[in-house]
């Protein structure tokens, strides 16, 4: 079998995606197109199904119905590691950095899918591992640099404030040059200055070859950074459009923006 690749600048297409757990419908018939080169926002009240949608895209959850396609490849039946190898990457709702490792080492873990010998090998003090480790460290420093936080490369997570930890997690998610980057509530737990820095970092990640999707409750952040927004409500796609269109949609105001303070 030849190694499948996703060509540059391909959109990710989701068609009729549904997900249920033991009779509970979590996602219902979601169809949408996520464009490369844009920042897409995914918003909706707690429990709307945003994280579950990400889990379907990365293969953690198997949809009960529907298709996921990118660059002519059908993805819905591929296991998570195959999707990671095709360029799917994500950050999680809760910061998940390894406390024993430095920030640069944490970022190097994001190269897992590219490493011939596996990332553990790159940590071992063997000659082959040493060369790979040096290369991986250079890539990790490059990713930290892109997010403007190269100065924390040799710090440990416990020494850093939440804003820098979030950026470090995003560095780990981008170090492998993903085609699809899914960020789940990156501003959770950040103060307003950290959130502003995060917004600046996200805008710098916009790239013609990257499908970038951000789930977020911070409406100012979403409206600021996104080109297009999809609104989920109890597992259904309620609305989509530019930030201005979504903000002006009465349905959206009713179910979501109206109780922004929840
Ligand atoms: N593994 C699971 N098993 C059962 N129910 C789940 C599972 N994952 C998510 N759900 C349910 O799916 C719904 C949507 O959850 P989630 O995707 O986390 O929403 P959001 O991220 O929008 O807050 C919730 O009702 C949640 O309880
Ligand atoms: Mg969630």
């Amino acid at each position: 079998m030849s190694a499948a690749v996703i060509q540059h600048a391909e959109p990710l297409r989701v068609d009729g995606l549904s997900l249920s757990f033991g009779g509970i419908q979590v996602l219902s018939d979601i169809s949408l197109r996520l464009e490369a080169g844009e920042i897409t926002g995914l918003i909706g009240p707690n429990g709307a199904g945003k994280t579950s949608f990400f889990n379907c895209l990365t293969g953690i959850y198997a949809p009960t119905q529907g298709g996921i396609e990118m660059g002519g490849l059908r993805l819905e039946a591929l296991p998570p590691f195959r999707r990671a190898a095709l360029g799917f990457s994500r950050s999680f709702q809760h910061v998940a950095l390894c406390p024993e490792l430095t920030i640069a080492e944490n970022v190097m873990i994001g190269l897992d899918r590219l490493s011939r010998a596996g990332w553990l090998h790159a940590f071992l003090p063997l000659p082959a591992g040493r060369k790979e480790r040096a290369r991986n460290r250079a890539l990790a420093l490059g990713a930290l640099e892109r997010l403007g936080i190269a100065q924390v490369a040799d710090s440990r997570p416990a020494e850093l404030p939440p804003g820098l930890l979030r950026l470090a997690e995003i560095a780990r998610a981008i170090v492998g040059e993903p085609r699809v980057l899914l960020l789940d509530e990156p501003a959770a737990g950040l103060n307003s200055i950290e959130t502003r820095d995060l917004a600046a970092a996200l805008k710098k990640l916009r790239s013609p070859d990257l499908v970038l999707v951000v789930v977020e409750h911070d409406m100012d952040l979403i409206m600021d950074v996104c080109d297009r927004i999809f609104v989920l409500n109890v597992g259904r796609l309620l609305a989509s459009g530019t930030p201005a269109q979504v903000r002006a949609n009465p349905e959206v105001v009713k179910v979501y923006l109206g109780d922004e303070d929840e």
Side-chain angles (χ1 to χ4, degrees):
M1 187 178 66
S2 65
V5 291
I6 291 170
Q7 299 302 317
H8 291 258
E10 289 287 348
L12 175 61
R13 292 187 182 85
V14 174
D15 183 33
L17 189 88
S18 295
L19 173 73
S20 61
F21 288 108
I24 310 281
Q25 198 71 25
V26 171
L27 295 171
S28 305
D29 198 20
I30 308 275
S31 295
L32 49 77
R33 201 180 133 121
L34 302 166
E35 302 290 344
E38 294 190 347
I39 302 182
T40 304
L42 180 61
I43 65 172
N46 280 328
K50 306 178 297 296
T51 298
S52 297
F53 181 72
F54 274 8
N55 284 335
C56 288
L57 295 186
T58 57
I60 303 292
Y61 288 172
T64 28
Q65 265 178 41
I68 303 168
E69 181 264 333
M70 195 172 182
L73 295 173
R74 299 222 62 96
L75 302 174
E76 65 276 356
L78 297 182
F81 77 91
R82 290 277 317 275
R83 295 191 216 189
L86 286 168
F88 279 65
S89 185
R90 74 182 297 180
S91 74
F92 293 90
Q93 226 168 304
H94 302 285
V95 172
L97 294 169
C98 180
E100 314 296 330
L101 301 179
T102 67
I103 295 299
E105 288 166 340
N106 268 287
V107 174
M108 286 160 67
I109 291 175
L111 289 164
D112 186 10
R113 74 182 172 86
L114 304 176
S115 166
R116 227 170 300 150
W119 68 270
L120 187 58
H121 187 80
F123 278 89
L124 298 175
L126 303 171
R130 212 175 290 139
K131 200 164 168 197
E132 181 156 14
R133 185 181 162 86
R135 189 197 66 127
N136 288 357
R137 181 173 162 87
L139 291 171
L141 292 179
L144 290 167
E145 188 85 52
R146 261 181 92 188
L147 293 165
I149 57 163
Q151 76 281 5
V152 304
D154 296 313
S155 304
R156 286 186 202 270
E159 300 161 3
L160 300 174
L164 290 176
L165 296 177
R166 273 294 175 195
L167 291 174
E169 253 198 330
I170 295 173
R172 182 177 57 194
I174 65 166
V175 69
E177 307 271 346
R179 286 295 158 76
V180 179
L181 176 58
L182 309 173
L183 303 178
D184 201 348
E185 301 199 24
L190 305 195
N191 66 32
S192 58
I193 294 166
E194 291 172 327
T195 301
R196 193 196 57 199
D197 291 345
L198 173 70
L202 294 182
K203 287 178 191 172
K204 278 193 271 172
L205 292 183
R206 191 190 273 115
S207 139
D209 292 332
L210 180 68
V211 172
L212 172 51
V213 188
V214 183
V215 160
E216 201 24 81
H217 282 295
D218 185 320
M219 281 307 118
D220 292 337
L221 175 68
I222 281 288
M223 298 287 167
D224 177 23
V225 305
C226 292
D227 302 289
R228 194 185 306 264
I229 296 172
F230 292 96
V231 187
L232 274 185
N233 188 37
V234 285
R236 288 185 184 279
L237 197 56
L238 179 76
S240 69
T242 63
Q245 288 168 337
V246 164
R247 200 198 293 269
N249 183 317
E251 295 258 26
V252 176
V253 173
K254 199 164 118 205
V255 308
Y256 191 65
L257 297 174
D259 60 13
E260 211 182 324
D261 302 331
E262 73 175 300

